[in-house]
Amino acid sequence: MCGIIGYIGPKSVAQVLIEGLKKLEYRGYDSAGIAVDDENEIKVRRVKGKISDLEESLAKSPLQGSYGLGHTRWATHGRPSEENAHPHRDCTGSLVVVHNGIIENYLPLKKKLKDEGHSFQTETDTEVIAHLIEKYFQGSLEEATQRAVQELEGAYAIAAFSTQDAPKIVATKVGPPAVVGLGENEYFVSSDINPLLSHTQRMVFLEDGEIAVIEPEGVRFSDFKGSSLEKRVDYLTWTPLMIEKEGFKHFMLKEIFEQPQVVRDTITGRVSLDSGEMCLDEIGISAEFLKKIKKTVIIACGTSYHAGLVGKYFIETLADIPVDIEYASEYRYRDFILDRETLVLVISQSGETADVLAALRAVKKRGAVPLAICNVKNSSIAREAEGLLYTHAGPEIGVAATKTFSDQMAALALIALHLAQLKEKVDSETNFSLIEDLHRIPYRMEKILSQAESIEKLARRFISFSHFLYLGRWVNYPIALEGALKLKEISYIHAEGYPGGEMKHGPIALIDEKIPTMVIIPRDRVYEKMMSNISEIKTRLGYILAIAFEDDKEIQDKVDKVISIPSTNPLFTPFLTTIPVQLFAYYIAAMRGADVDQPRNLAKSVTVE
Ligand code: F6R
């Protein structure tokens, strides 16, 4: 949902901003712009389109400056256009602002500012921030920003500079993330750590209501009242190489192939193959509390919700605890009931999804002790949750989540085993066998990835279909949902995921030769039921692709095509069935020429409601 970057230092400012924006582009990509201070004159360049268009424009006519700001946009207020692209200026043209988030009261503010004589150039909510800072400016950008933010309602990460109080960048946030990078005689502000990794690993994460004043000599921090703050410096271990494609055509493909390793990384050290014990003290939620819980509520959005749905099956099956799974965007507005014996799990790759963050805050208000599963270190959700289990997937750049999905399932399997042990729901033999199965998952994932070429060949046949159906049951029902989501979000083919048993209640009416169905059918407790679903579809001339165990001979002549996966404990099959649905969606989208890593209308972290 928009990316912001600011730089002050000796390097080429435009170059640093462009390189930074490329690493933030996954957050939004309908328009982009930079502003630099060139000897006390602000030079702005904005384009409708991608960072490459901005780069082209700058190559034709370069901008020089000693510090500056950049922005990549995901439109909320005002269509994508050059005028609505950030940075935005005040009336004098001596101040610029970039913003990530939504100013909810921008219409009354705009009216008031207009009545006071300010003139507006854009349809955006952001422009009110520039005019508000202008209104309160009396020589100190920091003080004017402090006063301006008092009037803002909504969510914002803002960075601004003014030629009348220079050289200086002021940044602040309420809601969306902002991180300050501390280099050698150079300083940065950014929406996330990705643009900073090639310059420094020393970062300071801003909390809501904090202001950073970035100058050539260093960075100062204060709160909205102007009191100075001492902030902790974090050393990030992610490396710049982690955010390169490394020979893969798209980040998504690279990230699909990283799955065995990231699952390994997430499991390693947290469960012992020797003793069969879990080592999850790091989560920060006491074993005494977990032993007593009677219920679990899982809250998430999108793909993380699908991982949560898999987690429901893990926890119910292994730990014998009832689990409710909720969309954060619904839950936050519900009159939900929570008691002290409920474990709340919030799942978010980015740790910044606005609805998940709001739901987390709502459950904390009701006295719950939420445990978060996050991938991004020091993200807002990671910081605000009471308990925390990080997935070790590294940065995920493709907008469609893949490796973080598998990693979230791995984290949920660990939590389910932990609860099962604490509640004494598994005997030692079963426990060892589950742990062994879990450790073997990455090897089995590798085996499926080695068949990528044949999945690519298969996908070629389907590139011109307009509709697709995905069916799964029990623990693979969430994978049917995830498969459909992957296909629609990156290839723009309409796809629906259904539990197989629901077919008869409506969707079967859709079946004909024009709608292929992907059936996920490992040998598990619903295998025979899925077989019946298959014959119902075949009777109606539907084409069927099945994902099934490699030793399943029975399926071969019941369907049109089979993608084989190695046999494993049925409960853990989602780790394996996920890979073919991801690869299938990826190849179809890539062959259709879609922008796989940056699908239209989407952004990686949804920091607005
Ligand atoms: C789909 C996808 C989204 C995210 C959702 C939640 O491929 O990536 O559906 O899963 O926006 O994001 P996080 O996990 O960052 O809260």
Side-chain angles (χ1 to χ4, degrees):
M1 299 285 112
C2 300
I4 63 179
I5 173 87
Y7 176 67
I8 200 158
K11 294 179 186 143
S12 158
V13 175
Q15 184 80 27
V16 172
L17 297 178
I18 285 291
E19 290 309 318
L21 288 177
K22 283 184 191 164
K23 290 173 185 141
L24 289 171
E25 196 171 21
Y26 72 92
R27 298 178 67 87
Y29 32 82
D30 59 42
S31 51
I34 65 166
V36 295
D37 180 311
D38 184 8
E39 298 188 350
N40 240 21
E41 193 190 331
I42 296 184
K43 304 253 169 81
V44 176
R45 181 71 48 77
R46 301 179 301 183
V47 297
K48 176 173 181 240
K50 299 211 159 197
I51 309 298
S52 52
D53 300 309
L54 179 63
E55 194 175 20
E56 216 170 277
S57 158
L58 286 165
K60 278 190 203 135
S61 153
L63 289 186
Q64 310 292 349
S66 51
Y67 64 100
L69 292 171
H71 186 273
T72 182
R73 181 167 186 248
W74 186 83
T76 55
H77 296 74
R79 76 211 134 82
S81 66
E82 188 182 324
E83 308 79 65
N84 289 332
H86 302 212
H88 292 300
R89 279 171 274 213
D90 68 346
C91 298
T92 67
S94 64
L95 176 121
V96 278
V97 172
V98 290
H99 163 223
N100 169 26
I102 290 180
I103 305 303
E104 282 166 5
N105 60 338
Y106 85 103
L107 283 174
L109 283 176
K110 189 167 178 174
K111 182 171 179 317
K112 197 166 149 217
L113 286 160
K114 271 186 170 170
D115 292 346
E116 289 168 6
H118 290 263
S119 79
F120 280 75
Q121 312 298 325
T122 77
E123 300 161 321
T124 66
D125 53 341
T126 304
E127 202 184 344
V128 299
I129 306 170
H131 293 284
L132 269 180
I133 298 178
E134 175 191 4
K135 175 176 164 179
Y136 292 117
F137 188 84
Q138 289 176 339
S140 161
L141 180 59
E142 191 180 341
E143 282 169 27
T145 307
Q146 272 165 26
R147 293 191 63 189
V149 293
Q150 309 298 333
E151 300 197 21
L152 301 179
E153 285 167 22
Y156 51 84
I158 301 166
F161 73 81
S162 160
T163 54
Q164 296 178 53
D165 183 15
K168 178 187 282 185
I169 294 169
V170 170
T172 186
K173 66 154 252 153
V174 172
V179 54
V180 171
L182 310 174
E184 286 298 319
N185 300 318
E186 58 178 358
Y187 302 95
F188 307 79
V189 62
S190 172
S191 293
D192 70 33
I193 64 171
N194 291 343
L196 311 186
L197 289 172
S198 49
H199 303 281
T200 179
Q201 284 172 312
R202 294 171 65 227
M203 322 259 176
V204 176
F205 292 87
L206 283 191
E207 298 291 344
D208 287 354
E210 293 181 347
I211 294 181
V213 180
I214 302 159
E215 292 166 305
E217 308 76 41
V219 187
R220 292 179 282 117
F221 299 94
S222 63
D223 63 19
F224 280 177
K225 295 198 179 101
S227 311
S228 59
L229 298 169
E230 284 296 320
K231 294 279 297 168
R232 193 187 72 212
V233 178
D234 284 296
Y235 291 79
L236 273 284
T237 51
W238 286 3
T239 63
L241 190 65
M242 285 170 149
I243 51 173
E244 300 299 333
K245 282 192 203 141
E246 294 175 58
F248 285 91
K249 190 167 173 211
H250 294 101
F251 279 110
M252 182 177 173
L253 189 60
K254 175 191 168 218
E255 287 158 3
I256 290 173
F257 272 81
E258 281 173 347
Q259 288 178 111
Q261 191 52 42
V262 301
V263 169
R264 226 173 249 135
D265 291 345
T266 290
I267 296 171
T268 303
R270 288 167 164 168
V271 50
S272 161
L273 259 178
D274 293 336
S275 67
E277 274 169 27
M278 308 300 297
C279 323
L280 283 181
D281 292 349
E282 65 185 287
I283 63 175
I285 302 243
S286 75
E288 286 64 45
F289 171 75
L290 295 176
K291 266 184 207 166
K292 276 191 241 138
I293 59 161
K294 299 227 163 59
K295 190 180 158 185
T296 298
V297 175
I298 302 180
I299 305 168
C301 296
T303 287
S304 297
Y305 174 90
H306 296 156
L309 200 47
V310 175
K312 172 182 163 74
Y313 291 90
F314 287 170
I315 295 172
E316 286 181 349
T317 305
L318 298 177
D320 200 18
I321 301 168
V323 182
D324 285 347
I325 163 98
E326 308 280 354
Y327 285 116
S329 52
E330 286 298 312
Y331 198 67
R332 60 180 292 194
Y333 292 113
R334 291 235 315 266
D335 297 313
F336 56 81
I337 297 154
L338 277 181
D339 60 32
R340 306 271 159 171
E341 291 172 327
T342 299
L343 170 67
V344 178
L345 274 173
V346 291
I347 309 175
S348 175
Q349 181 284 129
S350 62
E352 302 294 347
T353 301
D355 284 320
V356 184
L357 188 56
L360 170 74
R361 289 175 179 160
V363 300
K364 275 175 78 176
K365 250 192 195 158
R366 304 258 180 119
V369 183
L371 167 59
I373 297 175
C374 287
N375 189 48
V376 177
K377 307 274 171 315
N378 292 298
S379 53
S380 305
I381 291 168
R383 292 199 307 273
E384 291 193 27
E386 306 281 340
L388 178 62
L389 184 62
Y390 277 124
T391 48
H392 296 316
E396 187 173 65
I397 309 295
V399 164
T402 51
K403 62 175 175 173
T404 54
F405 175 66
S406 291
D407 238 6
Q408 289 166 344
M409 292 193 291
L412 286 157
L414 293 176
I415 290 171
L417 282 164
H418 189 44
L419 292 171
Q421 289 184 5
L422 289 172
K423 287 187 163 281
E424 298 177 14
K425 295 288 179 187
V426 277
D427 57 54
S428 164
E429 199 184 323
T430 318
N431 183 50
F432 270 109
S433 130
L434 285 163
I435 288 171
E436 216 174 280
D437 284 333
L438 196 58
H439 273 91
R440 286 208 184 122
I441 289 294
Y443 302 98
R444 293 179 170 143
M445 289 173 122
E446 271 156 8
K447 209 165 163 199
I448 304 171
L449 286 165
S450 70
Q451 306 171 46
E453 254 178 56
S454 62
I455 297 177
E456 179 178 11
K457 240 190 234 157
L458 185 63
R460 191 173 296 280
R461 296 197 200 166
F462 297 95
I463 55 175
S464 49
F465 279 82
S466 311
H467 306 276
F468 236 96
L469 201 59
Y470 285 75
L471 296 184
R473 285 183 94 143
W474 189 55
V475 74
N476 278 296
Y477 158 51
I479 308 307
L481 297 179
E482 178 60 8
L485 176 62
K486 287 289 92 92
L487 187 67
K488 63 188 147 197
E489 69 181 332
I490 59 170
S491 73
Y492 319 136
I493 294 174
H494 167 236
E496 294 202 42
Y498 261 95
E502 278 296 297
M503 278 292 285
K504 296 185 201 66
H505 302 286
I508 200 160
L510 290 170
I511 298 295
D512 62 17
E513 64 281 9
K514 293 199 203 85
I515 301 197
T517 305
M518 174 84 88
V519 176
I520 305 166
I521 180 171
R523 263 197 197 277
D524 57 15
R525 61 171 80 165
V526 287
Y527 180 83
E528 298 303 336
K529 306 286 166 200
M530 282 301 287
M531 274 297 198
S532 309
N533 295 141
I534 284 175
S535 39
E536 286 154 16
I537 296 169
K538 274 280 134 223
T539 321
R540 288 157 185 90
L541 306 179
Y543 187 100
I544 298 184
L545 276 162
I547 300 174
F549 282 164
E550 58 198 1
D551 54 7
D552 182 352
K553 303 288 171 244
E554 205 183 329
I555 189 84
Q556 301 291 343
D557 55 352
K558 301 276 188 322
V559 300
D560 299 282
K561 220 54 208 159
V562 180
I563 301 174
S564 297
I565 57 167
S567 309
T568 192
N569 182 328
L571 190 62
F572 293 147
T573 50
F575 288 105
L576 306 187
T577 54
T578 294
I579 294 182
V581 299
Q582 291 170 342
L583 283 172
F584 188 72
Y586 167 77
Y587 286 123
I588 289 187
M591 284 185 254
R592 284 165 68 103
D595 194 345
V596 173
D597 284 333
Q598 296 174 347
R600 68 187 182 202
N601 307 336
L602 295 179
K604 184 74 182 162
S605 30
V606 185
T607 53
V608 293
E609 258 197 84

